[in-house]
Amino acid sequence: MALKYNLSKVYALSDNDPEFVNQILTLFVTEVPEDLKQIKEGIKKKDHKYAYSYAHKIKPTLDLMGLNVAFEEILQVEAWTKAEGKKKDIIETFKSIKVQVKEAIKEIKKDFDL
């Protein structure tokens, strides 16, 4: 268990309340994929402010879920949006985030019967 994610911060935040942990996991599984779609849309349309708003929104969640590499990469997306970079400069980073989140969600669903 927990190869793709780390819930130590979630358990610390929740005082080991399993119901609270479950709520956090459910929100992660349902909301982060939608937020990633919005980031992708912002990148596609070169709407840097739009992409930034969603990247900024999921940043604390990635940290909370122990997705350290994805967290570092979302910081790169934020920097890219502020610099109004070219789409080709951020596509691979975004794909990496998407893969990590997808793998974590798959594992969480299996581990917690969500």
Side-chain angles (χ1 to χ4, degrees):
M1 186 177 109
L3 297 174
K4 307 290 183 201
Y5 62 93
N6 181 330
L7 298 181
S8 61
K9 290 181 182 177
V10 174
Y11 282 108
L13 180 68
S14 72
D15 286 332
N16 294 317
D17 177 353
E19 193 173 306
F20 183 78
V21 169
N22 215 31
Q23 287 176 331
I24 297 286
L25 295 176
T26 301
L27 283 171
F28 175 75
V29 165
T30 57
E31 290 192 12
V32 171
E34 290 302 314
D35 293 339
L36 287 173
K37 286 179 187 173
Q38 300 308 317
I39 295 169
K40 181 179 180 181
E41 193 64 26
I43 291 170
K44 190 170 130 185
K45 292 181 176 178
K46 297 181 192 164
D47 187 340
H48 295 92
K49 287 183 177 148
Y50 188 79
Y52 174 83
S53 68
Y54 282 94
H56 188 70
K57 179 182 175 194
I58 69 168
K59 183 172 62 173
T61 305
L62 296 177
D63 182 44
L64 183 65
M65 297 298 294
L67 296 166
N68 299 329
V69 174
F71 176 76
E72 292 300 321
E73 289 175 336
I74 206 72
L75 294 176
Q76 292 173 30
V77 172
E78 281 188 335
W80 173 84
T81 63
K82 288 179 182 174
E84 296 190 0
K86 293 185 168 120
K87 193 164 50 169
K88 67 180 175 86
D89 296 337
I90 204 64
I91 287 294
E92 290 306 312
T93 302
F94 177 73
K95 283 180 184 174
S96 173
I97 296 166
K98 220 167 98 173
V99 166
Q100 292 172 68
V101 168
K102 185 178 178 181
E103 289 175 353
I105 287 173
K106 183 179 174 187
E107 205 167 276
I108 288 166
K109 283 181 172 181
K110 183 177 160 230
D111 293 345
F112 292 89
D113 293 323
L114 296 178

